[in-house]
Amino acid sequence: MATQGTASPQSVGSDTAEYDPRTDPKRKAKSSDPGWKYGFWPEIGNRDLVECSLCGGRVNSGIKRLKEHLVGGYGDAVKCPKTTTAIAAEMEASLVKGRRKRALNLDDDDDGVQVVEVVPTENQVQNNANASSPSSGTSVVQHPSSGTASKKKQSALKFASLPPRPKEKKIVITMLRKKPEEVVEERHFKNGPAQSSVEGRIRTKEERDEVNMHVANFFYECGIPFNAINSRSFEIMCEAIGQYGPGYKPPSFHEVRVPWLGKAVEQTNKLKEKHEAAWKQYGCTLMSDGWTDKRGLLPR
């Protein structure tokens, strides 16, 4: 017979069975980020590891990577098999909002302090004159800046860092058509194609299957990992080729190895320059893979 105040084994087991780590507030950040509705920390103390409440999959790099996992299409995260269209749209909107907020937080010369010059009244000047210690009659007071001027400068810095578009003759359809990067961005934001072209509507399933077979054979023949097809760069490449139209001639081995590699390095340097303004406040660590040839030497 159990004494009063002592829990029976059955009651202890039932309390343990009712515990759900997905609803434990200690396993979630105190944040309004919508990603925490679908994730939690499986290991308390390790905030880098987040587990998906829908499929049970675990991702590193925090809540941002979990939202990419729920949206799908990101090269660093596998799409959640149990996500829905509504969840994917909500997470994509949060990711886009986060990118815009980080772009506006670029640091500049404004140190966040507003300097105000205070001119004293006649009585204050008279009192200073009668005082034993001399005074200049004018003082400077520093107040924390509201940040409005800083944000305007940061926004101007963001757009000024974009490379100017070369002036060239373009046909009307090219001027009205969105860039491949914009098309892919809208596709992921709306979890589907933004709009279908007239040519896409008249294409049959057999025609698309034939193109898909060529794409798959390219992966098989070159031994490319299958997860490369989830990368944004692959989607942008396919969209760019589709916008170019029939007759596209791909670059040669020499062009990819020399001139286009140099242009890719220039683009990376320009992208780096856009973030260097924030190093003063936040700091930055750049990591990249080392490219070597068959002899183990770095390319010149």
Side-chain angles (χ1 to χ4, degrees):
M1 180 177 181
T3 60
Q4 186 177 2
T6 304
S8 61
Q10 291 81 2
S11 61
V12 174
S14 60
D15 294 341
T16 305
E18 292 177 357
Y19 174 74
D20 188 357
R22 296 176 297 181
T23 59
D24 188 352
K26 296 181 180 180
R27 295 180 178 269
K28 298 176 183 287
K30 296 180 180 180
S31 170
S32 59
D33 195 306
W36 290 110
K37 295 189 296 184
Y38 310 101
F40 64 97
W41 292 315
E43 301 174 2
I44 297 179
N46 184 7
R47 300 195 173 189
D48 187 63
L49 184 65
V50 181
E51 181 173 331
C52 177
S53 302
L54 301 179
C55 67
R58 296 186 176 184
V59 296
N60 292 312
S61 302
I63 195 64
K64 178 177 179 292
R65 190 59 48 81
L66 177 70
K67 291 187 287 188
E68 295 178 352
H69 164 71
L70 294 171
V71 174
Y74 290 88
D76 297 332
V78 180
K79 184 176 182 179
C80 175
K82 295 185 179 181
T83 187
T84 63
T85 303
I87 295 176
E90 182 185 9
M91 296 301 104
E92 182 66 17
S94 177
L95 290 170
V96 172
K97 182 179 179 181
R99 287 194 293 267
R100 292 174 180 173
K101 184 179 297 184
R102 285 191 296 273
L104 290 176
N105 285 336
L106 290 176
D107 193 14
D108 58 1
D109 295 335
D110 187 5
D111 57 359
V113 176
Q114 182 181 6
V115 180
V116 180
E117 183 178 1
V118 180
V119 179
T121 62
E122 295 181 0
N123 294 333
Q124 292 176 336
V125 173
Q126 185 67 26
N127 294 334
N128 291 332
N130 297 331
S132 58
S133 60
S135 175
S136 62
T138 303
S139 61
V140 176
V141 181
Q142 291 185 345
H143 296 288
S145 174
S146 62
T148 304
S150 177
K151 290 180 180 178
K152 290 182 179 179
K153 293 181 180 179
Q154 292 166 359
S155 180
L157 176 63
K158 173 188 174 184
F159 290 102
S161 62
L162 296 177
R165 293 186 179 181
K167 296 182 179 180
E168 56 183 6
K169 295 181 179 180
K170 296 183 179 180
I171 59 177
V172 177
I173 189 173
T174 304
M175 298 174 62
L176 298 178
R177 184 172 53 197
K178 296 181 179 179
K179 298 176 63 176
E181 294 85 353
E182 297 173 345
V183 174
V184 174
E185 184 71 20
E186 289 187 0
R187 181 183 304 161
H188 285 270
F189 179 73
K190 297 180 180 180
N191 200 25
Q195 65 181 54
S196 59
S197 62
V198 177
E199 296 172 344
R201 293 171 186 169
I202 63 177
R203 298 296 185 187
T204 62
K205 181 179 181 300
E206 289 73 16
E207 290 176 319
R208 184 175 184 276
D209 290 344
E210 183 178 357
V211 176
N212 289 342
M213 192 71 253
H214 289 299
V215 174
N217 285 333
F218 169 72
F219 275 76
Y220 305 150
E221 179 180 349
C222 299
I224 300 175
F226 296 152
N227 61 352
I229 206 169
N230 295 326
S231 65
R232 289 288 183 98
S233 58
F234 178 78
E235 290 188 62
I236 294 174
M237 178 191 70
C238 293
E239 180 65 28
I241 295 175
Q243 290 186 7
Y244 184 91
Y248 168 73
K249 182 180 179 181
S252 63
F253 171 81
H254 172 75
E255 289 176 326
V256 174
R257 184 174 179 268
V258 181
W260 288 112
L261 178 59
K263 292 182 180 180
V265 173
E266 292 178 0
Q267 290 181 352
T268 304
N269 291 334
K270 291 179 181 179
L271 181 63
K272 183 188 69 174
E273 292 174 358
K274 190 172 65 173
H275 297 283
E276 283 181 348
W279 290 5
K280 179 180 177 181
Q281 179 177 357
Y282 303 105
C284 181
T285 301
L286 297 178
M287 297 182 294
S288 63
D289 296 333
W291 292 356
T292 57
D293 56 14
K294 295 181 179 178
R295 296 174 296 175
L297 300 177
L298 293 173
R300 295 182 179 178

